[in-house]
Amino acid sequence: MSDLRITEAFLYMDYLRMSECIQISIAVCRIGIYTCFRALCCKGPPPARPEYDLVCIGLTGSGKTSLLSKLCSESPEEVVSTTGFSIKAVPFQNAILNVKELGGADNIRKYWSRYYQGSQGVIFVLDSASSEDDLETARNELHSALQHPQLCTLPFLILANHQDKPAARSVQERWGLTMLPRLVSDSGAQVILPPRPPNKYQKIF
């Protein structure tokens, strides 16, 4: 009788050890499943990309709206010339550009300066195939922007658009006719004039 009780005691102890092992295994499995779930589903939102406020100016027909629509992957059929001003958020991998486009008509350009405040950079779009009169007007507007107290210390990106047209001028011609060397030296602004065709706007930023 005593041998039977001893055997039962050993069996009971084995049962307790097995139950403990099973409970530990279940706990480890739960921790592993919870860790995997958090790693896959609970990463949280990605870090916010920095945002920069830019102003985009240029004469009517220079291609400001088409440029921004292309950067925003919008259909070319939906492009309508800006009569007042519009704002587009242009997303890039490392930043978001909030671009304020100002209409380039004669009766609107005199109000450009009202929208300069808060800008962190300037995009000036130039029509490479424009007439001599329009080019002179564009030069005067560029000079005014470079000299403006709210813009004179900001980076300027000057884009020569419509380079695919037969009447488009070369980089050297645009540089000389717009008198950029003198304008830049007088203002002290940081100017970028990229000699790239319109279908490579994305690589500029």
Side-chain angles (χ1 to χ4, degrees), residues 149-165:
Q150 291 181 314
L151 303 182
C152 61
T153 59
L154 301 180
F156 267 75
L157 176 63
I158 302 176
L159 294 178
N161 200 7
H162 299 156
Q163 297 182 39
D164 55 333
K165 292 185 177 181

Side-chain angles (χ1 to χ4, degrees), residues 10-83:
F10 278 115
L11 290 175
Y12 182 70
M13 292 176 63
D14 291 339
Y15 170 76
L16 292 178
R17 283 195 295 267
M18 185 178 298
S19 299
E20 185 179 357
C21 291
I22 292 174
Q23 291 177 0
I24 293 175
S25 299
I26 293 174
V28 171
C29 290
R30 287 179 176 177
I31 293 174
I33 293 173
Y34 178 73
T35 302
C36 293
F37 176 79
R38 290 205 53 182
L40 294 175
C41 304
C42 302
K43 291 183 178 180
R49 288 175 289 179
E51 297 188 18
Y52 302 96
D53 297 329
L54 276 65
V55 61
C56 180
I57 55 179
L59 303 188
T60 297
S62 60
K64 303 184 299 296
T65 306
S66 299
L67 164 66
L68 297 178
S69 298
K70 184 177 181 64
L71 292 177
C72 292
S73 300
E74 297 178 352
S75 173
E77 299 176 356
E78 301 177 357
V79 175
V80 179
S81 181
T82 302
T83 56

Side-chain angles (χ1 to χ4, degrees), residues 55-60 62 64 102-114 116 122-127 130 132-149 151-152 156-158 177-180 182-184 187 189 191:
V55 61
C56 180
I57 55 179
L59 303 188
T60 297
S62 60
K64 303 184 299 296
L102 307 182
D106 295 344
N107 60 337
I108 297 178
R109 293 198 299 269
K110 59 184 177 181
Y111 300 111
W112 278 359
S113 59
R114 298 185 179 183
Y116 289 164
V122 184
I123 302 174
F124 191 96
V125 183
L126 177 70
D127 185 0
S130 62
E132 297 293 337
D133 292 339
D134 287 342
L135 188 62
E136 176 66 17
T137 302
R139 185 191 70 82
N140 293 333
E141 295 296 345
L142 177 59
H143 180 268
S144 298
L146 286 167
Q147 298 293 330
H148 196 277
L151 303 182
C152 61
F156 267 75
L157 176 63
I158 302 176
L177 291 173
T178 55
M179 302 175 66
L180 277 176
R182 193 187 72 185
L183 297 180
V184 173
S187 66
V191 175

